[in-house]
Amino acid sequence: MTASRPQYRLKLDLQLFNQEKTEKATPKKKREAREKGQVAKSNELPGAFILLFVFMSFAMIGPFYKSRLISLFGDLFEDWMTMEVTTGNVMSLFTKLMYEMLIMLSPVFAIAVVVALLAGYMQVGFLLTGKSLAPKFSKLNPLTNAKEILSMKTLVEFLKNMLKLVVIGLIVFMTLKSDWERILQLDTLPVTYLLGFAGGIALKLGIEVGAVLVVLAVADYFYQKYEYDKSLKMSKQDIKDEFKTTEGNPLIKGRIRERQRKMAIQRMMQEVPKADVVITNPTHFAIALKYDAAKMEAPVVLAKGMDYVALRIREKAKEHGVITMENKPLARALYDRSEIGDSIPSDLFQAVAEVLAYVYKLKGRVKSS
């Protein structure tokens, strides 16, 4: 009883070791996870890039926005405030306002869409699947939700959001601190300068915050990729099971190959009685040859084998009266350099012709040229 305990303990430890998820995911598992919509991506990256590029567009096409805004408010205060209010005028006013707003916002919308698509493509490539949108009723389980709330992933997300708030707060504080004296003097400056200064501060903050968020989002992407690879890790037993599923059970495959080999040998043995001669080693190799001058340019190998298969060929030849001749070097050369159904190599024509001539002489017929 005491002697079997260490063996049982060792067996249990080996089973636990095989169940540990220490191996990288196989291409098959990665492909299946991708088809289900499970990919390594950061949800922060598209938003960060959109914020950065939108504010950069403000810096590049600022004159465009300035001219449209001046035109819009100029018409509003110069013409529309004094016009007679009628149903047609109100509809015309709102139509023009919507048109002007659409023109001003269209660059922002275009940048947001293009940048979001590029950010998604950079992370996961082209992926179109609806499996990730399918409802999962397991998420309604309160115990599962409680575990997710108290999980390490939730803690990391909380710390990540706190870090973003702290970083953004520091950027805003440092930017406002550097211009604090000018801010205190704004009440003495004209309105046009006030608007320009506020716009410059907002633009500067937008670009700086966007750049910092992009850096944090890239770091988050690498973290998400690490967690994704970790979640897909497999145990040694998982890899073995997958191999059995995809490649088949090795034992069954071995049996299939053995049956196929037996069937091939059986078909080959059916051709031996048609041979003109069987050249042997004498025991290790046997090659059955046939030559028909009217149909063949050279002798053809009907069957070949070594050891047990060679013995079967010799027995089959003897059973059907096929002449067997011993020629060690020729038998070895034919076995190594020719395949079943093929003509013999050209450099062996002479040696085989001499054998066939002798065979025909024994059979009492002359070889036709």
Side-chain angles (χ1 to χ4, degrees):
M1 187 73 177
T2 56
S4 62
R5 248 179 220 179
Q7 295 178 357
Y8 173 77
R9 184 69 176 271
L10 178 61
K11 185 177 180 181
L12 184 61
D13 291 341
L14 288 174
Q15 290 177 349
L16 293 174
F17 176 75
N18 288 333
Q19 294 298 327
E20 291 181 1
K21 298 184 181 297
T22 56
E23 307 300 316
K24 290 183 179 180
T26 59
K28 179 177 181 294
K29 185 168 184 179
K30 289 182 178 180
R31 184 172 62 255
E32 290 176 349
R34 182 179 175 82
E35 290 173 355
K36 294 177 182 178
Q38 300 174 4
V39 290
K41 65 176 181 178
S42 171
N43 295 326
E44 311 289 336
L45 203 58
F49 273 119
I50 289 172
L51 179 65
L52 176 62
F53 280 96
V54 165
F55 274 95
M56 288 176 65
S57 72
F58 290 156
M60 290 185 290
I61 57 177
F64 166 77
Y65 287 108
K66 180 180 178 181
S67 63
R68 303 303 300 191
L69 283 172
I70 291 175
S71 174
L72 177 63
F73 283 100
D75 292 341
L76 180 64
F77 288 111
E78 291 179 6
D79 300 329
W80 298 342
M81 296 294 290
T82 58
M83 73 178 183
E84 183 180 354
V85 179
T86 63
T87 304
N89 289 339
V90 171
M91 291 301 298
S92 175
L93 171 63
F94 276 102
T95 301
K96 188 169 184 179
L97 280 174
M98 293 296 295
Y99 176 72
E100 291 293 333
M101 293 296 294
L102 182 61
I103 290 178
M104 285 190 293
L105 292 177
S106 57
V108 177
F109 290 151
I111 291 171
V113 171
V114 172
V115 170
L117 291 176
L118 288 177
Y121 182 79
M122 287 166 52
Q123 294 185 86
V124 300
F126 181 77
L127 178 63
L128 187 62
T129 178
K131 292 184 179 180
S132 58
L133 302 177
K136 295 182 179 179
F137 296 102
S138 60
K139 293 184 177 181
L140 301 177
N141 189 339
L143 295 177
T144 304
N145 294 332
K147 289 180 180 179
E148 291 183 357
I149 292 174
L150 301 175
S151 65
M152 181 60 68
K153 181 179 179 180
T154 305
L155 178 60
V156 171
E157 290 295 323
F158 173 75
L159 294 176
K160 183 174 64 177
N161 292 329
M162 291 300 297
L163 177 62
K164 287 196 294 185
L165 289 175
V166 170
V167 171
I168 293 172
L170 286 174
I171 293 173
V172 173
F173 174 76
M174 296 300 293
T175 302
L176 295 180
K177 183 180 179 182
S178 62
D179 293 318
W180 187 247
E181 293 183 0
R182 296 172 64 188
I183 293 174
L184 294 177
Q185 298 174 1
L186 289 178
D187 57 339
T188 62
L189 298 175
V191 175
T192 54
Y193 179 84
L194 177 63
L195 293 176
F197 177 77
I201 289 289
L203 184 62
K204 181 181 179 182
L205 281 174
I207 294 176
E208 291 178 350
V209 171
V212 171
L213 289 180
V214 166
V215 174
L216 294 177
V218 170
D220 179 62
Y221 167 74
F222 285 107
Y223 171 75
Q224 297 295 340
K225 191 174 186 307
Y226 165 77
E227 287 292 324
Y228 172 77
D229 292 338
K230 183 179 176 181
S231 67
L232 290 183
K233 278 190 174 182
M234 306 171 67
S235 65
K236 295 182 183 295
Q237 187 62 41
D238 292 337
I239 295 176
K240 291 179 181 178
D241 294 340
E242 181 184 293
F243 178 79
K244 288 181 180 179
T245 303
T246 56
E247 301 296 332
N249 192 311
L251 182 60
I252 296 176
K253 288 183 68 178
R255 290 176 178 173
I256 293 174
R257 284 196 297 267
E258 180 64 22
R259 180 170 294 181
Q260 291 174 342
R261 190 179 71 87
K262 289 181 178 180
M263 291 176 64
I265 292 174
Q266 188 175 4
R267 288 194 300 269
M268 184 179 67
M269 290 302 173
Q270 293 174 358
E271 298 294 319
V272 173
K274 302 176 184 178
D276 292 322
V277 65
V278 173
I279 301 175
T280 65
N281 195 26
T283 56
H284 295 297
F285 301 99
I287 299 90
L289 300 177
K290 180 176 179 59
Y291 178 61
D292 187 346
K295 300 178 181 178
M296 304 174 185
E297 296 181 358
V300 174
V301 178
L302 296 183
K304 73 171 190 175
M306 62 182 299
D307 297 334
Y308 174 73
V309 178
L311 176 62
R312 291 277 309 277
I313 292 174
R314 292 197 304 272
E315 290 175 349
K316 196 76 171 180
K318 184 178 180 181
E319 182 181 335
H320 290 84
V322 178
I323 296 175
T324 301
M325 290 192 61
E326 178 182 339
N327 190 325
K328 295 182 180 179
L330 181 59
R332 183 60 184 264
L334 288 171
Y335 183 86
D336 291 338
R337 299 173 54 193
S338 60
E339 297 297 332
I340 298 172
D342 294 343
S343 299
I344 65 172
S346 58
D347 58 330
L348 298 179
F349 283 177
Q350 183 64 33
V352 173
E354 292 176 359
V355 171
L356 289 175
Y358 179 74
V359 170
Y360 294 148
K361 186 176 180 181
L362 290 179
K363 289 184 176 181
R365 53 182 175 146
V366 179
K367 176 185 173 185
S368 59
S369 57

